[in-house]
Amino acid sequence: MNTALRRRRIVHVVYSFSVGGLENVIVQLINRLPADRFEHVLLSLTTISDFKNRITQPGVQFIELHKPPGHAVPLYPRIYKLLRELKPDVVHTCNLAALEVTPLAWLARVPLRIHAEHGWDAHDPQGKNPRYQRLRKLYQPFVSHCVAVSQDIDDYLAQAVGVPTRRRSVIANGVDTQTFAPPVHGVAPAVPGCPFVPGPHWLVGTVGRLQTVKNQPLLARAFVQLLQQHPEAAERVRLVVVGEGPLRADIQATLAQAGVQHLAWLAGARDDVAAILPMLSCFVLPSQAEGTSCTLQEAMACGLPVVATAVGGTPEMVQHGVTGLLVPAAEEPALANAIWLCFHKPAYAQQLGQSARVKAAANFGLGGMVEAYEHVFSGVAARGH
């Protein structure tokens, strides 16, 4: 009787736990999976940031291993011992950096080993690195079931890694379409710290870690190019970049060199993205590669016209000319022109935003994502492995 009622214990394994889309998915899963059926442990190979405070489910155990740079081999005995002590029903590893834990989970007799691929590594933005492909192939026998957040990544797992159909599922990230929604009364008010006034100022912005694969400097260069081609836009158009990371200096240098740094707000990491997005007039995702972008989903749920590079899983989310505009990756002129189109034709931009909201509400709901993961974590998808 006790066995029947016992909750399934999931150990979520990540390289690090800070602000990000992957981490947001884990937060949503922990908070929304039925508490009477699942309990959770969050295991970070390195560190856990204050982002963990978004987890509202009581009783979650947090473990940091503070792994130094390099392979995790010296930590293997400790990880194995932890898994033997925790006796999880499921180990849920996320992305390549955590995949090496799966053989240890198999050795520790964890019944179900789920591996999720959320997007490409900054050092391998197209998934073509043969070494990383070999590593994924090496670890596959220890994985019960793979989850890809987009069809693009699922195709990679099938073709480059050789994961059979029965051991793969596509589960797109989800968004809380009630929290992320268009402003109730017209234009949203400015958030604390914002130097601009939504409405009088036309705010084009992006949200994400300032790292290579997200390529925010491309947006900064396109912003400069737009202002050079259309000087009259400087009266209203403003740039908003939310996020922190190593590319901040590059963005600042681009803006300073053009003398337009006063027309941009580099907001840093923020906890109020749900309030910032509705302030924007246009959302831009300038990435080199993507799986399923959580911030893109959030922007669409807020009813924003979106301009995005046509990479990874993004074309599955954005229908060009209907729910947003797609441009080739790394092409500043195309990005600048698409932003200008949204600014110059506000009725068209509004139509794109309304269609984006409809699609987000219909296809990106959190309920579907959580239900799909519940199915996988219950062992239904991986039964027989």
Side-chain angles (χ1 to χ4, degrees), residues 202-278:
W202 193 87
L203 307 182
V204 55
T206 192
V207 177
R209 290 175 180 162
L210 306 186
Q211 60 184 30
T212 304
V213 74
K214 298 299 181 182
N215 203 17
Q216 292 92 345
L218 174 67
L219 173 56
R221 294 193 298 272
F223 176 70
V224 168
Q225 187 170 121
L226 184 151
L227 294 178
Q228 290 172 342
Q229 293 175 342
H230 306 281
E232 68 277 16
E235 184 178 340
R236 289 193 61 210
V237 178
R238 300 292 184 269
L239 177 64
V240 175
V241 178
V242 179
E244 198 53 80
L247 295 184
R248 183 183 183 93
D250 191 348
I251 298 168
Q252 289 175 321
T254 296
L255 298 171
Q257 186 175 3
V260 297
Q261 64 269 39
H262 62 292
L263 303 182
W265 180 39
L266 273 58
R270 302 278 300 202
D271 292 327
D272 54 352
V273 172
I276 291 177
L277 283 175

